[in-house]
């Protein structure tokens, strides 16, 4: 998969491809990231990429032309049909389903804005999708773009090892993750749950599923609303709620 990332801070954004899962995917030829700086697509001596907003108000707005020229160059380098995605608080919210959708694409062009925003005419003319990570404002789109890259690359076939990919990434099956523990067995008087020391893999798997479903129900009821639970999942949830003293009537 090839991603072109248009950003005024290419070195910052490109660093997502230098570490961990994404870095290894690059090393194995499963992923490639190219960053394009709109400043390299200006025609004036000052390499101007922003200007004052029409209508007044604070800050500056990113100019149409440098971004349009950078996107033209990105399209030329990207696989045919790569969508242009702008990271913005005004976008639809990114989720695991969208990450899976992107991971199946041959290419993606990500646009990370800065300042107070991007000339709306550029968004209308060139952007296929505005995408948000949530209801908050960053200093720019780069960190959001890097998060999208990380979430997508781990889903590219072959990127995660067999064990890792076999592990149901909780969002892959719609639930939050189960809790994790490692040595020491007891710390600050807190012990690891006995089931995890049992060596009984069936019991351990059932416990982990119960924890994932129970935590999802308690912490993210919105996730639970989407899918009906199976009979077994409902049984595990009931068991979890009883163990946690959360069954109705327990206050
Ligand atoms: C700045 C601002 C200030 C006050 C109230 C609302 C505001 N919106 C913005 C704004 O959108 N600034 C942007 C900076 C311009 C485009 C890129 N920037 C950005 C992207 N900030 N936060 C994001 C972002 C992207 C994806 N998910 C969450 C936040």
């Amino acid at each position: 998969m090839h991603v072109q990332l248009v950003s005024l801070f290419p070195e910052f954004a490109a660093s997502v491809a230098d570490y961990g899962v994404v870095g290894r995917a690059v090393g194995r030829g499963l992923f490639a990231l190219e960053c394009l700086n709109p400043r390299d697509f200006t025609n004036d001596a000052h390499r101007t990429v922003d200007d004052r907003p029409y209508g007044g108000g604070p800050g500056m707005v990113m100019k149409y032309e440098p971004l349009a020229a950078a996107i033209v160059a990105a399209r030329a380098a990207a696989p045919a049909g790569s969508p242009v995605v702008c990271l913005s608080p005004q976008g639809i919210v990114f989720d695991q389903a969208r990450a899976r959708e992107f991971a199946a694409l041959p290419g993606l062009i990500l646009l990370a804005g800065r300042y107070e925003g991007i000339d709306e005419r550029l968004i209308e003319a060139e952007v296929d999708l505005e995408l948000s990570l949530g209801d908050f404002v960053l200093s720019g789109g780069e960190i959001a773009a890097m998060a999208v890259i990380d979430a997508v690359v781990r889903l590219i076939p072959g990127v995660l090892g067999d064990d890792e990919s076999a592990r149901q990434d909780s969002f892959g099956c719609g639930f939050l993750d189960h809790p994790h523990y490692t040595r020491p067995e007891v710390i600050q008087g807190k012990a690891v749950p006995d089931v995890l020391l049992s060596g009984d893999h069936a019991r351990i798997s059932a416990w982990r599923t119960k924890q994932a479903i129970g935590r999802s129900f308690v912490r993210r009821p919105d996730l639970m609303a989407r899918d009906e639970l199976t009979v077994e999942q409902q049984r595990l949830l009931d068991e979890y709620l009883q163990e946690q003293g959360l069954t109705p009537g327990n206050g």
Side-chain angles (χ1 to χ4, degrees):
M1 181 179 196
H2 286 244
V3 170
Q4 263 74 30
L5 173 49
V6 176
S7 164
L8 289 173
F9 299 101
E11 296 82 5
F12 170 49
S15 68
V16 69
D18 294 339
Y19 304 92
V21 169
V22 180
R24 289 195 296 275
V26 170
R28 294 171 56 208
L30 296 172
F31 176 70
L33 175 64
E34 180 187 4
C35 292
L36 299 92
N37 189 337
R39 220 174 278 283
D40 297 335
F41 297 89
T42 55
N43 300 314
D44 65 304
H46 300 290
R47 293 161 52 86
T48 307
V49 292
D50 62 313
D51 204 337
R52 290 174 291 112
Y54 281 115
M60 303 291 273
V61 174
M62 295 187 80
K63 289 177 65 62
Y64 187 111
E65 301 96 322
L67 286 174
I71 290 170
V72 165
R75 287 191 201 277
S82 299
V84 177
V85 176
C86 178
L87 287 306
S88 159
Q90 286 71 247
I92 61 170
V93 178
F94 182 63
D95 62 8
Q96 194 70 4
R98 183 74 62 176
R100 281 196 290 270
E101 183 187 305
F102 284 173
L105 296 176
L108 204 52
I109 298 171
L110 299 177
L111 175 56
R114 280 274 161 172
Y115 305 107
E116 291 308 304
I118 295 169
D119 189 303
E120 190 65 19
R121 293 166 294 183
L122 184 283
I123 295 171
E124 289 167 357
E126 300 292 346
V127 172
D128 299 303
L129 178 70
E130 289 186 84
L131 203 59
S132 169
L133 295 195
D135 295 330
F136 50 85
V137 177
L138 301 165
S139 305
E142 284 82 7
I143 290 174
M146 294 159 80
V148 169
I149 288 169
D150 188 282
V152 170
V153 169
R154 55 185 292 110
L155 297 177
I156 294 172
V159 167
L160 291 181
D162 291 343
D163 291 347
E164 290 168 276
S165 58
R167 184 172 93 78
Q168 282 300 321
D169 258 14
S170 52
F171 273 81
C173 49
F175 299 121
L176 301 181
D177 206 358
H178 57 72
H180 299 268
Y181 299 84
T182 190
R183 289 181 294 185
E185 200 175 306
V186 181
I187 186 161
Q188 297 285 331
K190 298 176 182 64
V192 171
D194 290 338
V195 62
L196 298 180
L197 308 174
S198 69
D200 182 335
H201 296 296
R203 271 189 67 211
I204 290 168
S205 178
W207 181 86
R208 286 173 169 167
T209 300
K210 176 169 64 176
Q211 297 298 315
I213 294 172
R215 282 154 61 117
S216 300
F217 181 85
V218 171
R219 300 180 187 190
R220 291 290 306 278
D222 58 302
L223 283 181
M224 303 297 282
R226 284 186 207 162
D227 301 319
E228 291 301 315
L229 295 180
T230 65
V231 171
E232 175 57 8
Q233 288 172 338
Q234 186 62 55
R235 184 189 71 76
L236 289 170
L237 174 58
D238 294 342
E239 198 173 287
Y240 176 90
L241 295 175
Q242 190 156 25
E243 289 167 357
Q244 301 292 325
L246 297 173
T247 43
N250 276 31

